[in-house]
Amino acid sequence: MKHDLDFLRLKSAGGGYSPRGPLEAQNVPLRVVLPSAYKLKPVAPKMKLSTTLAVLAAAAAEAHYTFPSIANTPDWQYVRQTSNYQSNGPVTNVNSPDIRCYQLRPGSGAPGTYTVAAGSTLAYNAKASISHPGPMAVYIAKVPAGQTAATWDGSGKVWSKIYQDRPNLGGSMTWPSNGARSINVPIPRCLQNGDYLLRAEHIALHSAGSAGGAQFYISCAQITVTGGSGTYSPRNQVSFPGAYSATDPGIMINIYYPVPTSYTPPGPAVETC
């Protein structure tokens, strides 16, 4: 059996080749003649498909992220481990219980609770970095009496917003958090002392043109606040789920065309002392 290929003619004896001379200058295709013993091995379609899927899965995981730590501490030591700790995948359903803390094991807290002074700044860390465009927000909720940051589930209208970034508008929308590995969160100086849950939330808007397209990257840290004045009295508290609708203007939005001239983040306003 002989196999015809373009550009060269290989001789079965000796395995050499000879060009076609003048024909090559006339753009006439040349033919490769392979020895009859030579067999071309087809690539198995299943192998190609599995390799492609593996590459796509790895790329998707790399593009996504988690919020596994605060300050200079180990991952998941003071932050409740999230369901996406391996996949990095987002929450897309705002009515899911996952929208609160995205916990891998609901009812089970992180190993420790981190002590932070009221009025200080606490770094909330992303891994590897915040790689999608969209707003970053941080909420806080006071743990009720009789419970601890490690045991409380954060249910009810108890969450108030203490941090929110906004885009720069112009020829395109750019975001302060895009590419960041850490967000510096001001801890209000007027908080009451005691245990809190601190909820980090980044909403990726790169595919948010239809309901359910926005991607939520979330986690909850366990903290104990000390040195607060105790006068914190939030005006707008929300629950998760319950704070958002899939069609809120800050959640369902095309950020590319036409480029928005304004943007309103979802949820309540940031509380101040």
Side-chain angles (χ1 to χ4, degrees):
M1 177 186 300
K2 294 182 179 180
H3 301 271
D4 290 343
L5 298 173
D6 289 339
F7 307 116
L8 299 174
R9 172 179 293 167
L10 294 179
K11 295 181 179 179
S12 59
Y17 72 91
S18 59
R20 291 193 173 207
L23 294 179
E24 186 177 12
Q26 300 173 32
N27 295 320
V28 177
L30 304 181
R31 187 179 66 179
V32 175
V33 181
L34 299 178
S36 58
Y38 185 85
K39 294 182 179 180
L40 295 176
K41 295 181 179 180
V43 178
K46 289 185 178 179
M47 291 179 62
K48 291 179 67 177
L49 178 60
S50 62
T51 301
T52 300
L53 292 176
V55 170
L56 291 175
E62 186 176 345
H64 297 164
Y65 36 97
T66 60
F67 292 97
S69 67
I70 52 176
N72 187 23
T73 63
D75 292 355
W76 315 119
Q77 178 65 31
Y78 300 101
V79 175
R80 296 178 175 182
Q81 191 171 44
T82 52
S83 295
N84 65 339
Y85 79 102
Q86 289 181 316
S87 71
N88 293 353
V91 178
T92 56
N93 181 358
V94 297
N95 297 312
S96 165
D98 286 340
I99 201 72
R100 184 183 304 153
C101 291
Y102 203 6
Q103 282 183 248
L104 176 64
R105 291 176 291 272
S108 176
T113 300
Y114 188 82
T115 299
V116 59
S120 66
T121 299
L122 180 65
Y124 213 126
N125 306 315
K127 188 176 182 179
S129 66
I130 300 172
S131 56
H132 290 310
M136 182 78 203
V138 179
Y139 290 78
I140 198 167
K142 182 77 167 64
V143 176
Q147 299 198 57
T148 68
T151 62
W152 185 48
D153 65 358
S155 59
K157 275 192 170 185
V158 292
W159 296 93
S160 56
K161 188 185 288 183
I162 61 171
Y163 176 90
Q164 176 73 69
D165 70 6
R166 292 174 178 271
N168 300 308
L169 301 171
S172 63
M173 297 180 80
T174 59
W175 304 83
S177 57
N178 203 184
R181 294 179 179 272
S182 183
I183 301 297
N184 291 321
V185 183
I187 304 301
R189 66 181 184 279
C190 54
L191 288 177
Q192 294 86 5
N193 295 338
D195 282 6
Y196 290 81
L197 293 182
L198 192 67
R199 178 182 175 275
E201 171 196 274
H202 185 259
I203 308 176
L205 298 177
H206 59 291
S207 57
S210 59
Q215 299 177 356
F216 293 78
Y217 297 88
I218 304 160
S219 73
C220 290
Q222 300 170 182
I223 63 172
T224 298
V225 172
T226 62
S229 68
T231 60
Y232 186 69
S233 181
R235 294 174 293 278
N236 297 293
Q237 291 180 299
V238 296
S239 63
F240 292 102
Y244 302 152
S245 166
T247 56
D248 285 345
I251 293 176
M252 191 177 77
I253 180 174
N254 184 337
I255 63 173
Y256 298 111
Y257 186 83
V259 178
T261 57
S262 64
Y263 178 78
T264 302
V270 172
E271 299 286 346
T272 58
C273 291

